Structure formats: C-alpha cells, structure tokens
Amino acid sequence: MKSESVFQRDRYPTGLMLGLGMYAMMSVACAEHPPQPPFSALPQSRLVDLTHPFGSETIVWPTEQDIKVIVQHAEDMPGGYYYASNRLELPEHGGTHMDAPIHFARGTQTLDQIPIDRLVGGAVRIDVADQCANDRDYRVEIRDLERWESRHGRIPVHAIVLLDTGFGRLWPARQQYLGTELRGAEGVDALHFPGLHPDAAVWLVRERQVKAVGIDTASIDYGRSTKFETHVALLSHNVPVFENLADLSGLPNHGFDVIALPMKIAGGTGGPLRIIAIVPEPR
C-alpha cells in the first residue's frame, strides 16, 4: 500500500503539487507576519475631520444661493434592486472650501493647477479664540504669530497654518457665525467675524514661506473687509486658502499633518474641500 505522501504525489499533477507547496510556505509566512491593519502607515495616529457637511444648512456667502441637494431617485427598481441618486447644486466658495490663487490674483493657478504637495504636510494651529471671543472683528496680527512662536517654537518653513478663532464651534448658526442672517448686499454690509490681518499674511509668506493658510470663519479676510487685502497677499503668491473649517480646538498646537483635497474643478476659482488632520497619539 502506498504511503499518503506518495499517493498524493501520484494523484495530482506536478504543477499543482508545486502550487500547493508554495501555498503552504505562504501560509506559514502569513502566520508569522499577519496582514497589517488599515492605515498601517499611520501608526498611533487619529484622524480628525475638519470639514462641515454639505447640505441645505451649509452657510454660504450672503450673495450666494444656498446649496441644494435634489433627490432624483430613491426607489425600488423593476430589476429588484434599490437605487438612490441626487443632484448637487452649490457655489465654488460655499461651506468648507478652498480658494485657488486665481480667485483674487489674475494669471495665477486655478484649482486644478495647484500642486498637490501644497495641500499635504506638517501643520500648526494658532489659537486666537480668546481674542476673537472679545472682538468679533478681530484680525490676527504678527504679534499673535510671534507670541505663538515664543511658546511653541518657530513656525516651520513650508508649514500649513490653521487659525483657530473658535468660530467653527458656532456652525451652522448663521447669525452667530456670520454676525447676520441678512442676504444679498445688505448681508455683506452686516458681516462681523474675525480674519487674518494683511500684514500678518505678508509675514507668513515672506518670513515662513507657508504652504497654505486655513481659518474656521467664512473668509480669511475679516467680515468688515472691503478690499480683501489678505486674500490678495496670500493668493498672489500662490498660497491657497482654506475657509469655513470645522472646529479646530481638538488639534494640538503643532506636530500634526494635514491633507486638504478639493474637488478638482478644471479652471476653478475654488471648490468644495475635504480636509483632515492626522494627529499622532502618545505611545
């Protein structure tokens, strides 16, 4: 009587036996080195979503039309399956979004032309929530940036700078967030919310060569602005701007990364943005 090993060898083709042998060796290797969990490249990190949902309650500029989510299909189909599909109507600069340089600087990059390495990288959070709580029209100044550096160290060259005014926590209450519920030109005249002083914007560009600047208000320029000088200071140097960010208070002051990916609109002056922070956790 043949042994089991000889029986198996005679019964199956040589190629299949070789395949079974390779499978056995791979099984042993996998047992010694089990598959890595998702996000294995981000060990000991948590992901923080800095994006407000897009929908009918999304805050837009007073002169813009509200975002519309139009249900086209939500039904059982004759083929025996369920099918849902919506149509989305929204402005480029509504809700959490990115301003492309072309938005305020002729001849500069459109949304689809921004190099992706400008949208990913190490970031810092500048906390000015106390100042903004006492003054809705506060503008972040160079002294605020220098004060932050005296406590936390120099803002790294090519960092992404996020300004935490505390206003992200007011979303989606339009009156509290914008300072008014009025719409149209009347609404623009009644805006009151913090922003970045143009001198501080120039300082960030010249002295720290920042990649991008984000803020948790409706505009990087404060609400009372009529010349939008901060937009010009940043965008004319191809520094993209992130606006209407969600609550930033859960981020550390530094030592985290940001990934900010907008809808890639050809020729876009801006677009909806999905932005997250990657925050290392203590080991």
PDB file of all heavy atoms in Angstrom, residues 204-240:
ATOM      1  N   LEU A 204       3.685  85.782   6.952  1.00  0.00           N
ATOM      2  CA  LEU A 204       3.673  84.330   6.783  1.00  0.00           C
ATOM      3  C   LEU A 204       4.269  83.910   5.436  1.00  0.00           C
ATOM      4  O   LEU A 204       4.966  82.903   5.343  1.00  0.00           O
ATOM      5  CB  LEU A 204       2.246  83.791   6.907  1.00  0.00           C
ATOM      6  CG  LEU A 204       1.654  83.752   8.318  1.00  0.00           C
ATOM      7  CD1 LEU A 204       0.163  83.422   8.254  1.00  0.00           C
ATOM      8  CD2 LEU A 204       2.388  82.740   9.197  1.00  0.00           C
ATOM      9  N   VAL A 205       3.988  84.700   4.415  1.00  0.00           N
ATOM     10  CA  VAL A 205       4.514  84.384   3.083  1.00  0.00           C
ATOM     11  C   VAL A 205       6.022  84.645   3.015  1.00  0.00           C
ATOM     12  O   VAL A 205       6.796  83.791   2.561  1.00  0.00           O
ATOM     13  CB  VAL A 205       3.777  85.199   2.002  1.00  0.00           C
ATOM     14  CG1 VAL A 205       4.472  85.038   0.647  1.00  0.00           C
ATOM     15  CG2 VAL A 205       2.320  84.775   1.912  1.00  0.00           C
ATOM     16  N   ARG A 206       6.463  85.801   3.473  1.00  0.00           N
ATOM     17  CA  ARG A 206       7.867  86.201   3.315  1.00  0.00           C
ATOM     18  C   ARG A 206       8.791  85.553   4.341  1.00  0.00           C
ATOM     19  O   ARG A 206       9.892  85.099   4.003  1.00  0.00           O
ATOM     20  CB  ARG A 206       7.977  87.725   3.420  1.00  0.00           C
ATOM     21  CG  ARG A 206       7.370  88.467   2.249  1.00  0.00           C
ATOM     22  CD  ARG A 206       7.553  89.967   2.406  1.00  0.00           C
ATOM     23  NE  ARG A 206       6.971  90.694   1.277  1.00  0.00           N
ATOM     24  CZ  ARG A 206       6.887  92.021   1.225  1.00  0.00           C
ATOM     25  NH1 ARG A 206       7.349  92.770   2.230  1.00  0.00           N
ATOM     26  NH2 ARG A 206       6.346  92.613   0.169  1.00  0.00           N
ATOM     27  N   GLU A 207       8.334  85.511   5.591  1.00  0.00           N
ATOM     28  CA  GLU A 207       9.219  85.061   6.661  1.00  0.00           C
ATOM     29  C   GLU A 207       9.152  83.558   6.920  1.00  0.00           C
ATOM     30  O   GLU A 207      10.103  82.983   7.437  1.00  0.00           O
ATOM     31  CB  GLU A 207       8.889  85.811   7.960  1.00  0.00           C
ATOM     32  CG  GLU A 207       8.979  87.321   7.849  1.00  0.00           C
ATOM     33  CD  GLU A 207      10.372  87.788   7.469  1.00  0.00           C
ATOM     34  OE1 GLU A 207      11.353  87.153   7.916  1.00  0.00           O
ATOM     35  OE2 GLU A 207      10.480  88.800   6.735  1.00  0.00           O
ATOM     36  N   ARG A 208       8.030  82.916   6.594  1.00  0.00           N
ATOM     37  CA  ARG A 208       7.880  81.495   6.882  1.00  0.00           C
ATOM     38  C   ARG A 208       7.550  80.666   5.638  1.00  0.00           C
ATOM     39  O   ARG A 208       7.456  79.452   5.723  1.00  0.00           O
ATOM     40  CB  ARG A 208       6.797  81.278   7.952  1.00  0.00           C
ATOM     41  CG  ARG A 208       7.118  81.925   9.294  1.00  0.00           C
ATOM     42  CD  ARG A 208       8.359  81.322   9.940  1.00  0.00           C
ATOM     43  NE  ARG A 208       8.682  81.945  11.206  1.00  0.00           N
ATOM     44  CZ  ARG A 208       9.506  82.981  11.355  1.00  0.00           C
ATOM     45  NH1 ARG A 208      10.118  83.504  10.287  1.00  0.00           N
ATOM     46  NH2 ARG A 208       9.746  83.483  12.552  1.00  0.00           N
ATOM     47  N   GLN A 209       7.375  81.295   4.500  1.00  0.00           N
ATOM     48  CA  GLN A 209       7.114  80.586   3.237  1.00  0.00           C
ATOM     49  C   GLN A 209       6.073  79.474   3.404  1.00  0.00           C
ATOM     50  O   GLN A 209       6.276  78.323   3.012  1.00  0.00           O
ATOM     51  CB  GLN A 209       8.410  79.996   2.660  1.00  0.00           C
ATOM     52  CG  GLN A 209       9.428  81.027   2.227  1.00  0.00           C
ATOM     53  CD  GLN A 209      10.349  81.438   3.387  1.00  0.00           C
ATOM     54  OE1 GLN A 209      10.924  80.573   4.046  1.00  0.00           O
ATOM     55  NE2 GLN A 209      10.513  82.723   3.619  1.00  0.00           N
ATOM     56  N   VAL A 210       4.931  79.829   4.002  1.00  0.00           N
ATOM     57  CA  VAL A 210       3.907  78.827   4.302  1.00  0.00           C
ATOM     58  C   VAL A 210       3.344  78.204   3.026  1.00  0.00           C
ATOM     59  O   VAL A 210       3.318  78.842   1.961  1.00  0.00           O
ATOM     60  CB  VAL A 210       2.766  79.427   5.147  1.00  0.00           C
ATOM     61  CG1 VAL A 210       3.287  79.860   6.502  1.00  0.00           C
ATOM     62  CG2 VAL A 210       2.087  80.582   4.423  1.00  0.00           C
ATOM     63  N   LYS A 211       2.888  76.964   3.148  1.00  0.00           N
ATOM     64  CA  LYS A 211       2.263  76.264   2.022  1.00  0.00           C
ATOM     65  C   LYS A 211       0.842  76.745   1.786  1.00  0.00           C
ATOM     66  O   LYS A 211       0.398  76.919   0.650  1.00  0.00           O
ATOM     67  CB  LYS A 211       2.215  74.759   2.304  1.00  0.00           C
ATOM     68  CG  LYS A 211       3.470  73.990   2.017  1.00  0.00           C
ATOM     69  CD  LYS A 211       3.171  72.499   2.170  1.00  0.00           C
ATOM     70  CE  LYS A 211       4.365  71.672   1.758  1.00  0.00           C
ATOM     71  NZ  LYS A 211       4.053  70.222   1.821  1.00  0.00           N
ATOM     72  N   ALA A 212       0.082  76.878   2.885  1.00  0.00           N
ATOM     73  CA  ALA A 212      -1.334  77.227   2.803  1.00  0.00           C
ATOM     74  C   ALA A 212      -1.765  77.778   4.152  1.00  0.00           C
ATOM     75  O   ALA A 212      -1.091  77.567   5.166  1.00  0.00           O
ATOM     76  CB  ALA A 212      -2.168  76.005   2.431  1.00  0.00           C
ATOM     77  N   VAL A 213      -2.897  78.486   4.152  1.00  0.00           N
ATOM     78  CA  VAL A 213      -3.443  79.045   5.391  1.00  0.00           C
ATOM     79  C   VAL A 213      -4.935  78.719   5.441  1.00  0.00           C
ATOM     80  O   VAL A 213      -5.647  78.883   4.443  1.00  0.00           O
ATOM     81  CB  VAL A 213      -3.239  80.566   5.472  1.00  0.00           C
ATOM     82  CG1 VAL A 213      -3.828  81.117   6.771  1.00  0.00           C
ATOM     83  CG2 VAL A 213      -1.756  80.930   5.375  1.00  0.00           C
ATOM     84  N   GLY A 214      -5.395  78.249   6.603  1.00  0.00           N
ATOM     85  CA  GLY A 214      -6.802  77.935   6.775  1.00  0.00           C
ATOM     86  C   GLY A 214      -7.394  78.648   7.971  1.00  0.00           C
ATOM     87  O   GLY A 214      -6.662  79.047   8.897  1.00  0.00           O
ATOM     88  N   ILE A 215      -8.708  78.813   7.965  1.00  0.00           N
ATOM     89  CA  ILE A 215      -9.385  79.509   9.061  1.00  0.00           C
ATOM     90  C   ILE A 215     -10.797  78.945   9.229  1.00  0.00           C
ATOM     91  O   ILE A 215     -11.411  78.471   8.257  1.00  0.00           O
ATOM     92  CB  ILE A 215      -9.433  81.032   8.791  1.00  0.00           C
ATOM     93  CG1 ILE A 215      -9.834  81.811  10.044  1.00  0.00           C
ATOM     94  CG2 ILE A 215     -10.349  81.354   7.618  1.00  0.00           C
ATOM     95  CD1 ILE A 215      -9.589  83.316   9.929  1.00  0.00           C
ATOM     96  N   ASP A 216     -11.309  79.018  10.462  1.00  0.00           N
ATOM     97  CA  ASP A 216     -12.644  78.488  10.756  1.00  0.00           C
ATOM     98  C   ASP A 216     -13.709  79.580  10.710  1.00  0.00           C
ATOM     99  O   ASP A 216     -14.642  79.599  11.508  1.00  0.00           O
ATOM    100  CB  ASP A 216     -12.644  77.789  12.118  1.00  0.00           C
ATOM    101  CG  ASP A 216     -12.210  78.712  13.250  1.00  0.00           C
ATOM    102  OD1 ASP A 216     -11.690  79.815  12.966  1.00  0.00           O
ATOM    103  OD2 ASP A 216     -12.377  78.329  14.425  1.00  0.00           O
ATOM    104  N   THR A 217     -13.580  80.500   9.761  1.00  0.00           N
ATOM    105  CA  THR A 217     -14.585  81.527   9.505  1.00  0.00           C
ATOM    106  C   THR A 217     -14.913  81.521   8.008  1.00  0.00           C
ATOM    107  O   THR A 217     -14.309  80.779   7.236  1.00  0.00           O
ATOM    108  CB  THR A 217     -14.113  82.936   9.913  1.00  0.00           C
ATOM    109  OG1 THR A 217     -13.031  83.323   9.044  1.00  0.00           O
ATOM    110  CG2 THR A 217     -13.640  82.978  11.356  1.00  0.00           C
ATOM    111  N   ALA A 218     -15.831  82.397   7.609  1.00  0.00           N
ATOM    112  CA  ALA A 218     -16.294  82.407   6.224  1.00  0.00           C
ATOM    113  C   ALA A 218     -15.299  83.012   5.247  1.00  0.00           C
ATOM    114  O   ALA A 218     -15.479  82.896   4.031  1.00  0.00           O
ATOM    115  CB  ALA A 218     -17.618  83.167   6.130  1.00  0.00           C
ATOM    116  N   SER A 219     -14.251  83.666   5.779  1.00  0.00           N
ATOM    117  CA  SER A 219     -13.283  84.320   4.894  1.00  0.00           C
ATOM    118  C   SER A 219     -11.974  84.532   5.637  1.00  0.00           C
ATOM    119  O   SER A 219     -11.972  84.775   6.848  1.00  0.00           O
ATOM    120  CB  SER A 219     -13.830  85.668   4.413  1.00  0.00           C
ATOM    121  OG  SER A 219     -12.848  86.405   3.713  1.00  0.00           O
ATOM    122  N   ILE A 220     -10.863  84.460   4.924  1.00  0.00           N
ATOM    123  CA  ILE A 220      -9.556  84.739   5.535  1.00  0.00           C
ATOM    124  C   ILE A 220      -9.443  86.235   5.846  1.00  0.00           C
ATOM    125  O   ILE A 220      -8.709  86.638   6.740  1.00  0.00           O
ATOM    126  CB  ILE A 220      -8.411  84.258   4.622  1.00  0.00           C
ATOM    127  CG1 ILE A 220      -7.087  84.178   5.381  1.00  0.00           C
ATOM    128  CG2 ILE A 220      -8.287  85.127   3.377  1.00  0.00           C
ATOM    129  CD1 ILE A 220      -7.048  83.110   6.443  1.00  0.00           C
ATOM    130  N   ASP A 221     -10.152  87.092   5.108  1.00  0.00           N
ATOM    131  CA  ASP A 221     -10.297  88.495   5.473  1.00  0.00           C
ATOM    132  C   ASP A 221     -11.438  88.620   6.471  1.00  0.00           C
ATOM    133  O   ASP A 221     -12.464  87.938   6.345  1.00  0.00           O
ATOM    134  CB  ASP A 221     -10.615  89.348   4.237  1.00  0.00           C
ATOM    135  CG  ASP A 221      -9.384  89.737   3.450  1.00  0.00           C
ATOM    136  OD1 ASP A 221      -8.655  90.634   3.894  1.00  0.00           O
ATOM    137  OD2 ASP A 221      -9.153  89.118   2.387  1.00  0.00           O
ATOM    138  N   TYR A 222     -11.287  89.504   7.446  1.00  0.00           N
ATOM    139  CA  TYR A 222     -12.357  89.653   8.427  1.00  0.00           C
ATOM    140  C   TYR A 222     -13.629  90.193   7.758  1.00  0.00           C
ATOM    141  O   TYR A 222     -13.599  90.719   6.647  1.00  0.00           O
ATOM    142  CB  TYR A 222     -11.891  90.507   9.601  1.00  0.00           C
ATOM    143  CG  TYR A 222     -11.899  92.012   9.452  1.00  0.00           C
ATOM    144  CD1 TYR A 222     -12.371  92.812  10.482  1.00  0.00           C
ATOM    145  CD2 TYR A 222     -11.421  92.659   8.306  1.00  0.00           C
ATOM    146  CE1 TYR A 222     -12.386  94.200  10.380  1.00  0.00           C
ATOM    147  CE2 TYR A 222     -11.423  94.036   8.197  1.00  0.00           C
ATOM    148  CZ  TYR A 222     -11.906  94.809   9.237  1.00  0.00           C
ATOM    149  OH  TYR A 222     -11.910  96.179   9.140  1.00  0.00           O
ATOM    150  N   GLY A 223     -14.769  90.039   8.451  1.00  0.00           N
ATOM    151  CA  GLY A 223     -16.060  90.326   7.838  1.00  0.00           C
ATOM    152  C   GLY A 223     -16.252  91.737   7.348  1.00  0.00           C
ATOM    153  O   GLY A 223     -16.998  91.979   6.396  1.00  0.00           O
ATOM    154  N   ARG A 224     -15.576  92.723   7.979  1.00  0.00           N
ATOM    155  CA  ARG A 224     -15.753  94.121   7.618  1.00  0.00           C
ATOM    156  C   ARG A 224     -14.902  94.527   6.407  1.00  0.00           C
ATOM    157  O   ARG A 224     -14.993  95.654   5.933  1.00  0.00           O
ATOM    158  CB  ARG A 224     -15.384  95.026   8.811  1.00  0.00           C
ATOM    159  CG  ARG A 224     -16.132  94.722  10.102  1.00  0.00           C
ATOM    160  CD  ARG A 224     -17.638  94.822   9.917  1.00  0.00           C
ATOM    161  NE  ARG A 224     -18.041  96.160   9.511  1.00  0.00           N
ATOM    162  CZ  ARG A 224     -19.068  96.412   8.710  1.00  0.00           C
ATOM    163  NH1 ARG A 224     -19.784  95.415   8.204  1.00  0.00           N
ATOM    164  NH2 ARG A 224     -19.382  97.645   8.403  1.00  0.00           N
ATOM    165  N   SER A 225     -14.091  93.621   5.895  1.00  0.00           N
ATOM    166  CA  SER A 225     -13.181  93.965   4.800  1.00  0.00           C
ATOM    167  C   SER A 225     -13.942  94.365   3.540  1.00  0.00           C
ATOM    168  O   SER A 225     -14.971  93.774   3.200  1.00  0.00           O
ATOM    169  CB  SER A 225     -12.270  92.779   4.478  1.00  0.00           C
ATOM    170  OG  SER A 225     -11.453  93.066   3.368  1.00  0.00           O
ATOM    171  N   THR A 226     -13.409  95.364   2.859  1.00  0.00           N
ATOM    172  CA  THR A 226     -13.975  95.773   1.564  1.00  0.00           C
ATOM    173  C   THR A 226     -12.948  95.640   0.431  1.00  0.00           C
ATOM    174  O   THR A 226     -13.309  95.673  -0.743  1.00  0.00           O
ATOM    175  CB  THR A 226     -14.464  97.236   1.621  1.00  0.00           C
ATOM    176  OG1 THR A 226     -13.377  98.085   1.996  1.00  0.00           O
ATOM    177  CG2 THR A 226     -15.611  97.379   2.619  1.00  0.00           C
ATOM    178  N   LYS A 227     -11.673  95.469   0.802  1.00  0.00           N
ATOM    179  CA  LYS A 227     -10.613  95.374  -0.214  1.00  0.00           C
ATOM    180  C   LYS A 227     -10.006  93.979  -0.311  1.00  0.00           C
ATOM    181  O   LYS A 227      -9.240  93.706  -1.228  1.00  0.00           O
ATOM    182  CB  LYS A 227      -9.512  96.403   0.076  1.00  0.00           C
ATOM    183  CG  LYS A 227      -9.981  97.850  -0.029  1.00  0.00           C
ATOM    184  CD  LYS A 227      -8.819  98.812   0.186  1.00  0.00           C
ATOM    185  CE  LYS A 227      -9.272 100.270   0.029  1.00  0.00           C
ATOM    186  NZ  LYS A 227      -8.145 101.222   0.243  1.00  0.00           N
ATOM    187  N   PHE A 228     -10.284  93.119   0.649  1.00  0.00           N
ATOM    188  CA  PHE A 228      -9.815  91.734   0.642  1.00  0.00           C
ATOM    189  C   PHE A 228      -8.301  91.643   0.460  1.00  0.00           C
ATOM    190  O   PHE A 228      -7.788  90.834  -0.314  1.00  0.00           O
ATOM    191  CB  PHE A 228     -10.560  90.926  -0.420  1.00  0.00           C
ATOM    192  CG  PHE A 228     -12.049  90.912  -0.193  1.00  0.00           C
ATOM    193  CD1 PHE A 228     -12.878  91.797  -0.867  1.00  0.00           C
ATOM    194  CD2 PHE A 228     -12.617  90.044   0.728  1.00  0.00           C
ATOM    195  CE1 PHE A 228     -14.248  91.801  -0.633  1.00  0.00           C
ATOM    196  CE2 PHE A 228     -13.992  90.043   0.962  1.00  0.00           C
ATOM    197  CZ  PHE A 228     -14.815  90.924   0.287  1.00  0.00           C
ATOM    198  N   GLU A 229      -7.613  92.483   1.210  1.00  0.00           N
ATOM    199  CA  GLU A 229      -6.151  92.568   1.086  1.00  0.00           C
ATOM    200  C   GLU A 229      -5.440  91.299   1.543  1.00  0.00           C
ATOM    201  O   GLU A 229      -4.364  90.965   1.027  1.00  0.00           O
ATOM    202  CB  GLU A 229      -5.642  93.762   1.898  1.00  0.00           C
ATOM    203  CG  GLU A 229      -6.122  95.104   1.363  1.00  0.00           C
ATOM    204  CD  GLU A 229      -5.891  96.229   2.360  1.00  0.00           C
ATOM    205  OE1 GLU A 229      -6.537  96.216   3.430  1.00  0.00           O
ATOM    206  OE2 GLU A 229      -5.049  97.109   2.058  1.00  0.00           O
ATOM    207  N   THR A 230      -6.021  90.583   2.503  1.00  0.00           N
ATOM    208  CA  THR A 230      -5.382  89.339   2.955  1.00  0.00           C
ATOM    209  C   THR A 230      -5.471  88.275   1.876  1.00  0.00           C
ATOM    210  O   THR A 230      -4.508  87.529   1.629  1.00  0.00           O
ATOM    211  CB  THR A 230      -6.043  88.852   4.259  1.00  0.00           C
ATOM    212  OG1 THR A 230      -5.872  89.861   5.263  1.00  0.00           O
ATOM    213  CG2 THR A 230      -5.418  87.562   4.740  1.00  0.00           C
ATOM    214  N   HIS A 231      -6.626  88.177   1.218  1.00  0.00           N
ATOM    215  CA  HIS A 231      -6.741  87.273   0.073  1.00  0.00           C
ATOM    216  C   HIS A 231      -5.652  87.578  -0.963  1.00  0.00           C
ATOM    217  O   HIS A 231      -4.972  86.667  -1.450  1.00  0.00           O
ATOM    218  CB  HIS A 231      -8.111  87.429  -0.594  1.00  0.00           C
ATOM    219  CG  HIS A 231      -9.194  86.584   0.001  1.00  0.00           C
ATOM    220  ND1 HIS A 231      -9.994  87.020   1.026  1.00  0.00           N
ATOM    221  CD2 HIS A 231      -9.618  85.319  -0.294  1.00  0.00           C
ATOM    222  CE1 HIS A 231     -10.874  86.079   1.333  1.00  0.00           C
ATOM    223  NE2 HIS A 231     -10.664  85.040   0.549  1.00  0.00           N
ATOM    224  N   VAL A 232      -5.516  88.836  -1.292  1.00  0.00           N
ATOM    225  CA  VAL A 232      -4.543  89.232  -2.313  1.00  0.00           C
ATOM    226  C   VAL A 232      -3.125  88.887  -1.872  1.00  0.00           C
ATOM    227  O   VAL A 232      -2.325  88.349  -2.653  1.00  0.00           O
ATOM    228  CB  VAL A 232      -4.666  90.739  -2.627  1.00  0.00           C
ATOM    229  CG1 VAL A 232      -3.550  91.182  -3.560  1.00  0.00           C
ATOM    230  CG2 VAL A 232      -6.034  91.047  -3.238  1.00  0.00           C
ATOM    231  N   ALA A 233      -2.810  89.161  -0.606  1.00  0.00           N
ATOM    232  CA  ALA A 233      -1.451  88.913  -0.099  1.00  0.00           C
ATOM    233  C   ALA A 233      -1.079  87.439  -0.199  1.00  0.00           C
ATOM    234  O   ALA A 233       0.078  87.101  -0.523  1.00  0.00           O
ATOM    235  CB  ALA A 233      -1.335  89.388   1.349  1.00  0.00           C
ATOM    236  N   LEU A 234      -2.025  86.554   0.066  1.00  0.00           N
ATOM    237  CA  LEU A 234      -1.728  85.118   0.026  1.00  0.00           C
ATOM    238  C   LEU A 234      -1.851  84.550  -1.384  1.00  0.00           C
ATOM    239  O   LEU A 234      -0.928  83.897  -1.895  1.00  0.00           O
ATOM    240  CB  LEU A 234      -2.683  84.368   0.968  1.00  0.00           C
ATOM    241  CG  LEU A 234      -2.542  84.670   2.463  1.00  0.00           C
ATOM    242  CD1 LEU A 234      -3.678  84.030   3.243  1.00  0.00           C
ATOM    243  CD2 LEU A 234      -1.196  84.201   2.999  1.00  0.00           C
ATOM    244  N   LEU A 235      -2.968  84.818  -2.037  1.00  0.00           N
ATOM    245  CA  LEU A 235      -3.238  84.180  -3.316  1.00  0.00           C
ATOM    246  C   LEU A 235      -2.326  84.678  -4.432  1.00  0.00           C
ATOM    247  O   LEU A 235      -2.011  83.933  -5.362  1.00  0.00           O
ATOM    248  CB  LEU A 235      -4.710  84.371  -3.685  1.00  0.00           C
ATOM    249  CG  LEU A 235      -5.713  83.736  -2.706  1.00  0.00           C
ATOM    250  CD1 LEU A 235      -7.142  84.045  -3.129  1.00  0.00           C
ATOM    251  CD2 LEU A 235      -5.506  82.236  -2.588  1.00  0.00           C
ATOM    252  N   SER A 236      -1.876  85.912  -4.354  1.00  0.00           N
ATOM    253  CA  SER A 236      -0.962  86.418  -5.385  1.00  0.00           C
ATOM    254  C   SER A 236       0.402  85.724  -5.316  1.00  0.00           C
ATOM    255  O   SER A 236       1.194  85.813  -6.256  1.00  0.00           O
ATOM    256  CB  SER A 236      -0.787  87.932  -5.255  1.00  0.00           C
ATOM    257  OG  SER A 236      -0.206  88.266  -4.014  1.00  0.00           O
ATOM    258  N   HIS A 237       0.665  85.025  -4.215  1.00  0.00           N
ATOM    259  CA  HIS A 237       1.900  84.231  -4.085  1.00  0.00           C
ATOM    260  C   HIS A 237       1.595  82.734  -4.183  1.00  0.00           C
ATOM    261  O   HIS A 237       2.385  81.895  -3.726  1.00  0.00           O
ATOM    262  CB  HIS A 237       2.603  84.549  -2.764  1.00  0.00           C
ATOM    263  CG  HIS A 237       3.250  85.901  -2.756  1.00  0.00           C
ATOM    264  ND1 HIS A 237       2.573  87.053  -2.392  1.00  0.00           N
ATOM    265  CD2 HIS A 237       4.500  86.299  -3.094  1.00  0.00           C
ATOM    266  CE1 HIS A 237       3.391  88.085  -2.490  1.00  0.00           C
ATOM    267  NE2 HIS A 237       4.557  87.664  -2.923  1.00  0.00           N
ATOM    268  N   ASN A 238       0.455  82.404  -4.773  1.00  0.00           N
ATOM    269  CA  ASN A 238       0.047  81.015  -4.973  1.00  0.00           C
ATOM    270  C   ASN A 238      -0.054  80.232  -3.669  1.00  0.00           C
ATOM    271  O   ASN A 238       0.217  79.022  -3.624  1.00  0.00           O
ATOM    272  CB  ASN A 238       0.989  80.303  -5.956  1.00  0.00           C
ATOM    273  CG  ASN A 238       0.701  80.668  -7.394  1.00  0.00           C
ATOM    274  OD1 ASN A 238      -0.447  80.824  -7.788  1.00  0.00           O
ATOM    275  ND2 ASN A 238       1.747  80.842  -8.179  1.00  0.00           N
ATOM    276  N   VAL A 239      -0.440  80.915  -2.590  1.00  0.00           N
ATOM    277  CA  VAL A 239      -0.689  80.254  -1.309  1.00  0.00           C
ATOM    278  C   VAL A 239      -2.202  80.032  -1.199  1.00  0.00           C
ATOM    279  O   VAL A 239      -2.952  80.986  -0.998  1.00  0.00           O
ATOM    280  CB  VAL A 239      -0.187  81.110  -0.131  1.00  0.00           C
ATOM    281  CG1 VAL A 239      -0.544  80.445   1.200  1.00  0.00           C
ATOM    282  CG2 VAL A 239       1.317  81.329  -0.233  1.00  0.00           C
ATOM    283  N   PRO A 240      -2.673  78.807  -1.356  1.00  0.00           N
ATOM    284  CA  PRO A 240      -4.117  78.556  -1.290  1.00  0.00           C
ATOM    285  C   PRO A 240      -4.670  78.789   0.112  1.00  0.00           C
ATOM    286  O   PRO A 240      -3.937  78.740   1.109  1.00  0.00           O
ATOM    287  CB  PRO A 240      -4.253  77.091  -1.703  1.00  0.00           C
ATOM    288  CG  PRO A 240      -2.914  76.492  -1.487  1.00  0.00           C
ATOM    289  CD  PRO A 240      -1.912  77.588  -1.652  1.00  0.00           C
TER     290      PRO A 240
END
